[in-house]
Amino acid sequence: MDNERARDLLSDLPLSISEIILTMLPIRDAVRMSTLSTKWRYRWASLPQLIFCENCVSPSSDKSVLEKRLIKFITHALLLHNGPIHKFKICTSLLQSCPDIDQWLLVLSRNDVRELTLELGDGEWFRVPSCLFSFNKLTLLELCRCELDLPLGFKGFLCLRTLTLNQVLVSPEAIESLITNCPLLESLTLSYYDGLDLNICAPNLKYLCLEGEFKEICLDDNPMLEVVSVTLYMNTDEIHEHFEHSSGCNFVKFLGGVPNLEKLIGHVYFTKYLSIGIEQWTPSLTYNHLKILELYQVSFEDLKELQVVLRLITNSPNLQELQISGSSNTNATLEAPTFDFWWMDCPSDCTFKQLKIVKMTDMCGVSQEMELIKFLLANSPALEKMRIVPCIYVTELKVDMLVELVRYRRASPTAEILFIQE
């Protein structure tokens, strides 16, 4: 009797409630819910979100069997679906070169798909069919391990707001054309990208993440850009080649067109890249909105990289959080010559009025690093906390670092200094 009452309560749930329940379940469990009640039998078939992965089908040690099961499951789900599909996502390593994906995308192109994600794993890269470019209502597109060619006459994704390309083979010309033809684009991520030269001009872009090999990056006119994260892959020969053949100042090319930047994250080789042509920089760039600055693997033995750091922090009057890590080249840092840089090149009236949090990691305790710490402490009246993490390979200088830190003058009487050994 209790079971029948429970079954009736489930059957009598409003359609809107049952849709919420089914949407929160994995697609496999949503289909299984059809056995609970006759009224629920085909409710899963009208779900606006379809997300598929290897867990959608029963497990098997035979990869080919698992692949066939997954293909059959996705095909049947699309054939039985009887409503709009707003979100379609495949996340699996089984279907890398599967021709059925082309047919699924063809079916979806006749629907009002707004979010499309293809995360395909190892193996042969999937060539995206031309029908993808007829998804006129896309607001989100995420592709992983795919080949992408823009068809002739492509007018763009006029509704697209988020574009993520991870390990996607596409030419720089195609990327620039795609960005230009997505006028509402707000978020752009290019990961493991080997494009060498890249020019980005997007009037509504707010978030940019770049990871890969680049010789030249130009952010020409991006007035709305708020968050930038960059990771560069370069070897020593490439770095020297960049210095020899680069024209103009990379600092200006990269940061000259982002006046509203709020957060900047520069990973490996970023300060090295910005230092190319830094002597041509003129003090006309001010980042009044920049609040968070993170610079990783800064070479403290390189004067030009230190110029990049100095100009970023001194031209960001509202900076609140600063994180800097030293490079892993400990020997080069220890052998670098001593020079009084921070005080000589900095404006005499420099004050970091908004700076509250500073974190310095992988510090070797050499003069260039300690002078920067001293400089920040003396010019940050609002500082609340400074965390200093020495490099794990440095042992003898740790005591000297602590002795020096005690002597430094602090502009903020409440500043807390934490010396952390990780």
Side-chain angles (χ1 to χ4, degrees), residues 148-176:
L148 188 66
D149 293 312
L150 299 188
L152 293 175
F154 175 59
K155 301 297 183 181
F157 296 117
L158 301 183
C159 300
L160 195 68
R161 295 181 181 274
T162 300
L163 175 63
T164 300
L165 304 180
N166 183 5
Q167 300 183 71
V168 173
L169 295 178
V170 57
S171 68
E173 295 79 13
I175 282 289
E176 293 178 8

mmCIF file of all heavy atoms in Angstrom, residues 148-176:
data_model
loop_
_atom_site.group_PDB
_atom_site.id
_atom_site.type_symbol
_atom_site.label_atom_id
_atom_site.label_comp_id
_atom_site.label_asym_id
_atom_site.label_seq_id
_atom_site.Cartn_x
_atom_site.Cartn_y
_atom_site.Cartn_z
ATOM 1 N N LEU A 148 39.640 22.033 -37.198
ATOM 2 C CA LEU A 148 38.598 23.008 -37.504
ATOM 3 C C LEU A 148 39.000 23.842 -38.715
ATOM 4 O O LEU A 148 40.061 24.465 -38.729
ATOM 5 C CB LEU A 148 38.376 23.914 -36.287
ATOM 6 C CG LEU A 148 37.213 24.880 -36.328
ATOM 7 C CD1 LEU A 148 35.889 24.115 -36.349
ATOM 8 C CD2 LEU A 148 37.259 25.818 -35.129
ATOM 9 N N ASP A 149 38.150 23.830 -39.728
ATOM 10 C CA ASP A 149 38.329 24.663 -40.918
ATOM 11 C C ASP A 149 37.053 25.455 -41.145
ATOM 12 O O ASP A 149 35.962 24.877 -41.196
ATOM 13 C CB ASP A 149 38.628 23.811 -42.158
ATOM 14 C CG ASP A 149 39.982 23.121 -42.066
ATOM 15 O OD1 ASP A 149 40.963 23.792 -41.731
ATOM 16 O OD2 ASP A 149 40.038 21.899 -42.317
ATOM 17 N N LEU A 150 37.206 26.759 -41.295
ATOM 18 C CA LEU A 150 36.020 27.584 -41.539
ATOM 19 C C LEU A 150 35.595 27.455 -42.995
ATOM 20 O O LEU A 150 36.422 27.576 -43.900
ATOM 21 C CB LEU A 150 36.314 29.048 -41.225
ATOM 22 C CG LEU A 150 36.714 29.398 -39.791
ATOM 23 C CD1 LEU A 150 36.775 30.916 -39.623
ATOM 24 C CD2 LEU A 150 35.746 28.813 -38.787
ATOM 25 N N PRO A 151 34.313 27.225 -43.258
ATOM 26 C CA PRO A 151 33.843 27.140 -44.644
ATOM 27 C C PRO A 151 33.814 28.517 -45.290
ATOM 28 O O PRO A 151 33.719 29.543 -44.613
ATOM 29 C CB PRO A 151 32.429 26.566 -44.489
ATOM 30 C CG PRO A 151 31.992 26.987 -43.130
ATOM 31 C CD PRO A 151 33.227 26.992 -42.280
ATOM 32 N N LEU A 152 33.897 28.543 -46.613
ATOM 33 C CA LEU A 152 33.821 29.804 -47.335
ATOM 34 C C LEU A 152 32.447 30.430 -47.116
ATOM 35 O O LEU A 152 31.426 29.752 -47.128
ATOM 36 C CB LEU A 152 34.052 29.565 -48.833
ATOM 37 C CG LEU A 152 35.461 29.095 -49.230
ATOM 38 C CD1 LEU A 152 35.510 28.790 -50.724
ATOM 39 C CD2 LEU A 152 36.504 30.148 -48.856
ATOM 40 N N GLY A 153 32.450 31.703 -46.916
ATOM 41 C CA GLY A 153 31.182 32.401 -46.720
ATOM 42 C C GLY A 153 30.626 32.313 -45.319
ATOM 43 O O GLY A 153 29.476 32.695 -45.086
ATOM 44 N N PHE A 154 31.424 31.813 -44.361
ATOM 45 C CA PHE A 154 30.940 31.699 -42.987
ATOM 46 C C PHE A 154 30.674 33.089 -42.420
ATOM 47 O O PHE A 154 31.535 33.961 -42.426
ATOM 48 C CB PHE A 154 31.977 30.969 -42.141
ATOM 49 C CG PHE A 154 31.641 30.897 -40.681
ATOM 50 C CD1 PHE A 154 30.480 30.290 -40.243
ATOM 51 C CD2 PHE A 154 32.502 31.450 -39.740
ATOM 52 C CE1 PHE A 154 30.173 30.218 -38.898
ATOM 53 C CE2 PHE A 154 32.210 31.382 -38.389
ATOM 54 C CZ PHE A 154 31.040 30.775 -37.975
ATOM 55 N N LYS A 155 29.454 33.292 -41.912
ATOM 56 C CA LYS A 155 29.030 34.601 -41.426
ATOM 57 C C LYS A 155 29.260 34.783 -39.925
ATOM 58 O O LYS A 155 29.040 35.869 -39.387
ATOM 59 C CB LYS A 155 27.547 34.814 -41.735
ATOM 60 C CG LYS A 155 27.194 34.740 -43.217
ATOM 61 C CD LYS A 155 27.887 35.848 -43.999
ATOM 62 C CE LYS A 155 27.472 35.804 -45.468
ATOM 63 N NZ LYS A 155 28.146 36.862 -46.264
ATOM 64 N N GLY A 156 29.695 33.706 -39.250
ATOM 65 C CA GLY A 156 29.973 33.820 -37.829
ATOM 66 C C GLY A 156 28.864 33.274 -36.954
ATOM 67 O O GLY A 156 27.750 33.000 -37.414
ATOM 68 N N PHE A 157 29.182 33.096 -35.677
ATOM 69 C CA PHE A 157 28.191 32.715 -34.664
ATOM 70 C C PHE A 157 27.752 34.006 -33.972
ATOM 71 O O PHE A 157 28.415 34.499 -33.059
ATOM 72 C CB PHE A 157 28.791 31.739 -33.651
ATOM 73 C CG PHE A 157 29.201 30.420 -34.235
ATOM 74 C CD1 PHE A 157 30.538 30.022 -34.230
ATOM 75 C CD2 PHE A 157 28.258 29.569 -34.788
ATOM 76 C CE1 PHE A 157 30.914 28.800 -34.759
ATOM 77 C CE2 PHE A 157 28.629 28.345 -35.329
ATOM 78 C CZ PHE A 157 29.959 27.956 -35.317
ATOM 79 N N LEU A 158 26.646 34.550 -34.387
ATOM 80 C CA LEU A 158 26.236 35.875 -33.950
ATOM 81 C C LEU A 158 25.777 35.915 -32.500
ATOM 82 O O LEU A 158 25.677 37.002 -31.917
ATOM 83 C CB LEU A 158 25.117 36.396 -34.861
ATOM 84 C CG LEU A 158 25.478 36.505 -36.350
ATOM 85 C CD1 LEU A 158 24.317 37.090 -37.138
ATOM 86 C CD2 LEU A 158 26.741 37.345 -36.546
ATOM 87 N N CYS A 159 25.487 34.737 -31.900
ATOM 88 C CA CYS A 159 25.037 34.687 -30.505
ATOM 89 C C CYS A 159 26.104 34.138 -29.567
ATOM 90 O O CYS A 159 25.874 34.072 -28.355
ATOM 91 C CB CYS A 159 23.769 33.829 -30.389
ATOM 92 S SG CYS A 159 22.368 34.422 -31.362
ATOM 93 N N LEU A 160 27.243 33.718 -30.104
ATOM 94 C CA LEU A 160 28.259 33.028 -29.304
ATOM 95 C C LEU A 160 28.879 33.962 -28.266
ATOM 96 O O LEU A 160 29.328 35.066 -28.581
ATOM 97 C CB LEU A 160 29.351 32.463 -30.203
ATOM 98 C CG LEU A 160 30.281 31.432 -29.552
ATOM 99 C CD1 LEU A 160 29.518 30.159 -29.240
ATOM 100 C CD2 LEU A 160 31.484 31.139 -30.429
ATOM 101 N N ARG A 161 28.922 33.482 -27.007
ATOM 102 C CA ARG A 161 29.503 34.258 -25.917
ATOM 103 C C ARG A 161 30.739 33.567 -25.319
ATOM 104 O O ARG A 161 31.599 34.243 -24.757
ATOM 105 C CB ARG A 161 28.463 34.502 -24.819
ATOM 106 C CG ARG A 161 27.293 35.369 -25.283
ATOM 107 C CD ARG A 161 26.291 35.625 -24.172
ATOM 108 N NE ARG A 161 25.183 36.424 -24.644
ATOM 109 C CZ ARG A 161 25.158 37.754 -24.689
ATOM 110 N NH1 ARG A 161 26.226 38.433 -24.267
ATOM 111 N NH2 ARG A 161 24.113 38.408 -25.134
ATOM 112 N N THR A 162 30.807 32.229 -25.425
ATOM 113 C CA THR A 162 31.930 31.485 -24.843
ATOM 114 C C THR A 162 32.509 30.547 -25.895
ATOM 115 O O THR A 162 31.791 29.716 -26.454
ATOM 116 C CB THR A 162 31.476 30.665 -23.624
ATOM 117 O OG1 THR A 162 30.939 31.539 -22.636
ATOM 118 C CG2 THR A 162 32.652 29.893 -23.031
ATOM 119 N N LEU A 163 33.816 30.666 -26.142
ATOM 120 C CA LEU A 163 34.511 29.808 -27.102
ATOM 121 C C LEU A 163 35.739 29.220 -26.425
ATOM 122 O O LEU A 163 36.610 29.950 -25.940
ATOM 123 C CB LEU A 163 34.930 30.606 -28.335
ATOM 124 C CG LEU A 163 35.773 29.854 -29.381
ATOM 125 C CD1 LEU A 163 34.986 28.688 -29.967
ATOM 126 C CD2 LEU A 163 36.230 30.800 -30.487
ATOM 127 N N THR A 164 35.806 27.875 -26.381
ATOM 128 C CA THR A 164 36.939 27.166 -25.793
ATOM 129 C C THR A 164 37.477 26.164 -26.802
ATOM 130 O O THR A 164 36.756 25.252 -27.228
ATOM 131 C CB THR A 164 36.526 26.429 -24.503
ATOM 132 O OG1 THR A 164 36.040 27.377 -23.553
ATOM 133 C CG2 THR A 164 37.714 25.684 -23.909
ATOM 134 N N LEU A 165 38.731 26.324 -27.177
ATOM 135 C CA LEU A 165 39.393 25.414 -28.103
ATOM 136 C C LEU A 165 40.613 24.838 -27.415
ATOM 137 O O LEU A 165 41.587 25.551 -27.145
ATOM 138 C CB LEU A 165 39.796 26.145 -29.389
ATOM 139 C CG LEU A 165 38.676 26.856 -30.160
ATOM 140 C CD1 LEU A 165 39.234 27.534 -31.398
ATOM 141 C CD2 LEU A 165 37.565 25.877 -30.534
ATOM 142 N N ASN A 166 40.552 23.533 -27.124
ATOM 143 C CA ASN A 166 41.621 22.848 -26.411
ATOM 144 C C ASN A 166 42.231 21.804 -27.335
ATOM 145 O O ASN A 166 41.560 20.851 -27.733
ATOM 146 C CB ASN A 166 41.063 22.187 -25.143
ATOM 147 C CG ASN A 166 42.143 21.518 -24.310
ATOM 148 O OD1 ASN A 166 43.330 21.616 -24.611
ATOM 149 N ND2 ASN A 166 41.730 20.814 -23.274
ATOM 150 N N GLN A 167 43.485 21.995 -27.700
ATOM 151 C CA GLN A 167 44.178 21.102 -28.638
ATOM 152 C C GLN A 167 43.395 20.997 -29.942
ATOM 153 O O GLN A 167 43.094 19.904 -30.414
ATOM 154 C CB GLN A 167 44.374 19.707 -28.026
ATOM 155 C CG GLN A 167 45.197 19.706 -26.753
ATOM 156 C CD GLN A 167 45.419 18.306 -26.227
ATOM 157 O OE1 GLN A 167 46.166 17.530 -26.815
ATOM 158 N NE2 GLN A 167 44.781 17.973 -25.115
ATOM 159 N N VAL A 168 43.075 22.134 -30.506
ATOM 160 C CA VAL A 168 42.337 22.190 -31.763
ATOM 161 C C VAL A 168 43.268 22.679 -32.869
ATOM 162 O O VAL A 168 43.936 23.707 -32.717
ATOM 163 C CB VAL A 168 41.115 23.120 -31.649
ATOM 164 C CG1 VAL A 168 40.451 23.317 -33.009
ATOM 165 C CG2 VAL A 168 40.109 22.543 -30.653
ATOM 166 N N LEU A 169 43.321 21.916 -33.957
ATOM 167 C CA LEU A 169 44.144 22.308 -35.100
ATOM 168 C C LEU A 169 43.367 23.314 -35.944
ATOM 169 O O LEU A 169 42.372 22.973 -36.584
ATOM 170 C CB LEU A 169 44.491 21.072 -35.944
ATOM 171 C CG LEU A 169 45.370 20.018 -35.273
ATOM 172 C CD1 LEU A 169 45.595 18.845 -36.212
ATOM 173 C CD2 LEU A 169 46.702 20.609 -34.826
ATOM 174 N N VAL A 170 43.825 24.548 -35.911
ATOM 175 C CA VAL A 170 43.152 25.611 -36.658
ATOM 176 C C VAL A 170 44.184 26.693 -36.954
ATOM 177 O O VAL A 170 45.078 26.960 -36.150
ATOM 178 C CB VAL A 170 41.962 26.174 -35.843
ATOM 179 C CG1 VAL A 170 42.414 26.686 -34.480
ATOM 180 C CG2 VAL A 170 41.209 27.230 -36.616
ATOM 181 N N SER A 171 44.083 27.304 -38.104
ATOM 182 C CA SER A 171 45.065 28.308 -38.499
ATOM 183 C C SER A 171 44.817 29.622 -37.776
ATOM 184 O O SER A 171 43.685 29.915 -37.366
ATOM 185 C CB SER A 171 44.981 28.537 -40.012
ATOM 186 O OG SER A 171 43.742 29.156 -40.350
ATOM 187 N N PRO A 172 45.885 30.437 -37.605
ATOM 188 C CA PRO A 172 45.700 31.756 -36.975
ATOM 189 C C PRO A 172 44.698 32.620 -37.726
ATOM 190 O O PRO A 172 43.928 33.362 -37.115
ATOM 191 C CB PRO A 172 47.107 32.361 -37.023
ATOM 192 C CG PRO A 172 48.027 31.188 -37.107
ATOM 193 C CD PRO A 172 47.300 30.149 -37.901
ATOM 194 N N GLU A 173 44.692 32.514 -39.055
ATOM 195 C CA GLU A 173 43.748 33.297 -39.847
ATOM 196 C C GLU A 173 42.311 32.899 -39.546
ATOM 197 O O GLU A 173 41.415 33.752 -39.442
ATOM 198 C CB GLU A 173 44.025 33.116 -41.344
ATOM 199 C CG GLU A 173 45.365 33.654 -41.808
ATOM 200 C CD GLU A 173 46.521 32.718 -41.488
ATOM 201 O OE1 GLU A 173 46.259 31.553 -41.135
ATOM 202 O OE2 GLU A 173 47.681 33.163 -41.584
ATOM 203 N N ALA A 174 42.097 31.577 -39.381
ATOM 204 C CA ALA A 174 40.755 31.095 -39.075
ATOM 205 C C ALA A 174 40.312 31.531 -37.682
ATOM 206 O O ALA A 174 39.153 31.903 -37.470
ATOM 207 C CB ALA A 174 40.706 29.572 -39.197
ATOM 208 N N ILE A 175 41.250 31.480 -36.713
ATOM 209 C CA ILE A 175 40.928 31.921 -35.352
ATOM 210 C C ILE A 175 40.533 33.391 -35.351
ATOM 211 O O ILE A 175 39.515 33.784 -34.756
ATOM 212 C CB ILE A 175 42.128 31.701 -34.414
ATOM 213 C CG1 ILE A 175 42.236 30.235 -34.011
ATOM 214 C CG2 ILE A 175 42.002 32.555 -33.155
ATOM 215 C CD1 ILE A 175 41.151 29.772 -33.060
ATOM 216 N N GLU A 176 41.330 34.218 -36.006
ATOM 217 C CA GLU A 176 41.041 35.649 -36.027
ATOM 218 C C GLU A 176 39.720 35.930 -36.725
ATOM 219 O O GLU A 176 38.945 36.787 -36.289
ATOM 220 C CB GLU A 176 42.194 36.388 -36.704
ATOM 221 C CG GLU A 176 43.488 36.336 -35.896
ATOM 222 C CD GLU A 176 44.644 37.026 -36.591
ATOM 223 O OE1 GLU A 176 44.393 37.681 -37.631
ATOM 224 O OE2 GLU A 176 45.790 36.928 -36.104
#
